[in-house]
């Protein structure tokens, strides 16, 4: 018989407790068991697939449940992976929230605005006073419990909401997309590039390409002030440490940075140079803090290049830089030789 009461009185309408032994998870659904206790290991039924995945009843893995398709809207050729016939950009329109007495007008494809979908609520645990914004009935402290990893041969004890610990979930894997050969370290079936798609920011209505719910500006704006300050300090400290570790002849002075920036324009696109770029990045690739590794660049090119090598970035902008900068040309030749040597070694 389903448990119909919890400490402090009767359950609210449609709210129930999982019937699995020793599980007190509360949720709003018609199932007798919570998602965790309905999860089963299954093998994809698609011929020649054989992927093993965990599911609550699906017969096919996510790759075959949500095939890549072309948007059915007239004039749209965007290809995406999902269960809808029309991509998110074509489904996003200006609309009014259907929640009673709301009246918010927003651009998106959801029937309710973000505030109505993620309201401020109090934790459903009777003795917890936590108030938070979200869609879950209980706060993190009451959803994350001490548990033992269910991985084969693993007895790690951790606090969280997943069945496996971080070590068992994280491994080197190949992207599950049929035409993608990226090998990466993580716990997702698809690489970062394949998870990106055309999206509409629910806060500002701007179209952007990514894998996050909000665009970068709105994501940053919604963070608490103390969190933004902590992230900025951590980034500044990490960059300062990289620059100190990369010095080969003492620190590069501010005057030298300004002189290199003043040599503009941007070597990659010809625009106004507002920043200085490290041709070989300091992070991940062993770049050095020296004038021979610094070139003038605009904010757009510097941010787009990020921590990538020249051989991994936009080749059109790289070829433009090759014609105007000897530093870029020398570094590009060095990276090509490293790439060729790596290919020969791998082949042997």
């Amino acid at each position: 018989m389903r448990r119909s009461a919890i400490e402090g009185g009767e359950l609210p309408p449609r709210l129930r407790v999982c019937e699995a032994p020793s599980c007190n998870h509360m949720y709003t659904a018609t199932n007798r068991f919570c998602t965790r206790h309905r999860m089963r290991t299954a093998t994809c039924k698609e011929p020649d697939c054989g992927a093993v995945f965990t599911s609550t009843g699906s017969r096919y893995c996510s790759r075959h449940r949500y095939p890549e398709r072309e948007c059915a809207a007239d004039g749209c050729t965007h290809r995406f992976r999902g269960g809808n016939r029309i991509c998110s950009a074509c489904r996003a329109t200006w609309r009014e929230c259907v929640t009673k007495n709301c009246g918010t007008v927003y651009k998106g494809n959801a029937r309710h605005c973000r505030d109505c979908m993620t309201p401020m609520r109090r934790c459903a645990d009777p003795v917890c006073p936590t108030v938070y914004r979200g869609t879950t009935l209980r706060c993190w402290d009451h959803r994350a419990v001490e548990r033992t990893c269910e991985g084969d041969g693993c007895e790690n004890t951790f606090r969280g909401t997943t069945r496996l610990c971080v070590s068992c979930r994280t491994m080197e894997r190949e992207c599950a997309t049929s035409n993608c050969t990226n090998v990466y370290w993580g716990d997702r079936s698809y690489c970062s590039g394949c998870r990106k798609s055309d999206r509409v920011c629910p806060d500002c209505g701007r179209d952007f390409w990514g894998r996050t719910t909000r665009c970068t500006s709105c994501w940053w704006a919604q963070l608490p002030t103390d969190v933004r300050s902590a992230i900025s300090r951590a980034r500044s400290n990490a960059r300062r440490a990289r620059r100190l570790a990369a010095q080969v002849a003492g620190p590069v002075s501010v005057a030298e940075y300004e002189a290199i920036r003043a040599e503009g324009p941007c070597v990659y696109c010809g625009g106004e140079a507002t920043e200085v770029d490290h041709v070989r990045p300091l992070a991940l690739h062993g770049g050095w803090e020296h004038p021979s590794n610094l070139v003038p660049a605009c904010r757009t090119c510097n941010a787009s290049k990020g921590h990538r090598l020249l051989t991994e970035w936009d080749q059109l902008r790289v070829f433009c830089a090759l014609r105007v900068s000897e530093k870029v040309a020398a570094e590009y030749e060095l990276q090509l030789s490293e790439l060729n040597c790596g290919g020969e070694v791998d082949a042997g």
Side-chain angles (χ1 to χ4, degrees):
M1 180 176 180
R2 185 176 72 87
R3 287 175 287 175
S4 60
I6 57 176
E7 296 180 9
E10 293 292 323
L11 284 171
R14 300 185 67 241
L15 183 64
R16 61 176 64 201
V17 182
C18 178
E19 296 185 21
S22 70
C23 181
N24 295 319
H25 180 61
M26 291 181 292
Y27 56 96
T28 302
T30 58
N31 301 297
R32 296 173 54 237
F33 300 97
C34 64
T35 302
R36 178 191 173 196
H37 288 99
R38 287 188 290 117
M39 295 291 282
R40 298 289 184 272
T41 302
T43 303
C44 182
K45 301 300 182 182
E46 182 73 16
D48 302 327
C49 179
V52 178
F53 61 98
T54 55
S55 171
T56 58
S58 300
R59 301 174 60 235
Y60 299 92
C61 63
S62 59
R63 175 184 173 187
H64 293 102
R65 282 203 312 273
Y66 305 110
E68 184 177 348
R69 62 182 70 194
E70 185 172 329
C71 179
D74 294 337
C76 181
T77 58
H78 175 227
R79 298 191 64 83
F80 64 101
R81 185 179 295 276
N84 298 298
R85 297 176 57 250
I86 301 176
C87 67
S88 59
C90 294
R91 286 187 286 121
T93 58
W94 287 101
R95 60 183 73 202
E96 184 177 351
C97 180
V98 299
T99 304
K100 187 176 181 180
N101 300 326
C102 178
T104 301
V105 178
Y106 59 98
K107 185 177 182 181
N109 50 49
R111 298 176 64 245
H112 301 270
C113 67
R114 176 160 294 276
D115 290 339
C116 293
M117 287 193 295
T118 57
M120 294 297 297
R121 61 177 72 203
R122 181 174 177 175
C123 179
D125 192 282
V127 297
C128 180
T130 303
V131 178
Y132 60 98
R133 180 179 292 278
T135 58
T136 56
L137 295 175
R138 296 195 293 178
C139 65
W140 167 258
D141 289 336
H142 287 93
R143 286 188 293 116
V145 297
E146 291 289 339
R147 60 183 69 203
T148 302
C149 178
E150 299 181 17
D152 294 337
C154 180
E155 298 180 354
N156 287 342
T157 301
F158 65 100
R159 181 178 176 83
T161 59
T162 58
R163 296 171 54 246
L164 303 177
C165 64
V166 175
S167 299
C168 292
R169 295 199 316 268
T170 306
M171 63 183 69
E172 189 175 44
R173 60 182 74 207
E174 185 174 346
C175 182
T177 306
S178 58
N179 57 350
C180 180
T181 58
N182 285 343
V183 177
Y184 57 97
W185 185 267
D187 60 350
R188 294 180 178 271
S189 299
Y190 300 94
C191 66
S192 176
C194 292
R195 295 204 311 273
K196 292 181 179 180
S197 62
D198 289 324
R199 299 170 182 254
V200 179
C201 179
D203 294 343
C204 66
R206 183 172 58 185
D207 297 335
F208 70 99
W209 172 263
R211 55 187 177 85
T212 57
T213 303
R214 295 181 175 92
C215 65
T216 304
S217 301
C218 293
W219 171 81
W220 182 257
Q222 59 90 30
L223 292 176
T225 304
D226 57 340
V227 175
R228 291 203 299 266
S229 299
I231 293 176
S232 298
R233 285 196 302 271
R235 289 176 176 174
S236 298
N237 291 338
R239 179 169 177 80
R240 189 179 300 110
R242 290 196 300 267
R243 292 177 64 176
L244 289 173
Q247 291 176 6
V248 294
V252 179
S253 65
V254 176
E256 290 179 286
Y257 264 90
E258 287 298 323
I260 293 173
R261 185 188 61 80
E263 294 175 359
C266 173
V267 297
Y268 301 114
C269 69
E272 181 183 0
T274 58
E275 299 180 357
V276 174
D277 174 58
H278 291 80
V279 183
R280 177 178 285 263
L282 300 183
L284 306 178
H285 299 294
W288 48 92
E289 181 71 2
H290 191 271
S292 62
N293 192 41
L294 302 175
V295 293
C298 64
R299 175 179 290 272
T300 301
C301 291
N302 196 14
S304 174
K305 182 171 176 285
H307 301 322
R308 288 179 288 186
L309 294 171
L310 295 173
T311 53
E312 301 171 351
W313 188 44
D314 185 346
Q315 294 302 292
L316 180 61
R317 283 188 272 191
V318 171
F319 291 154
C320 290
L322 293 177
R323 294 195 293 266
V324 299
S325 174
E326 295 181 357
K327 299 178 184 178
V328 176
E331 177 60 30
Y332 189 70
E333 290 294 332
L334 177 61
Q335 293 180 17
L336 284 179
S337 63
E338 293 174 351
L339 189 64
N340 294 332
C341 289
E344 293 174 2
V345 171
D346 294 340

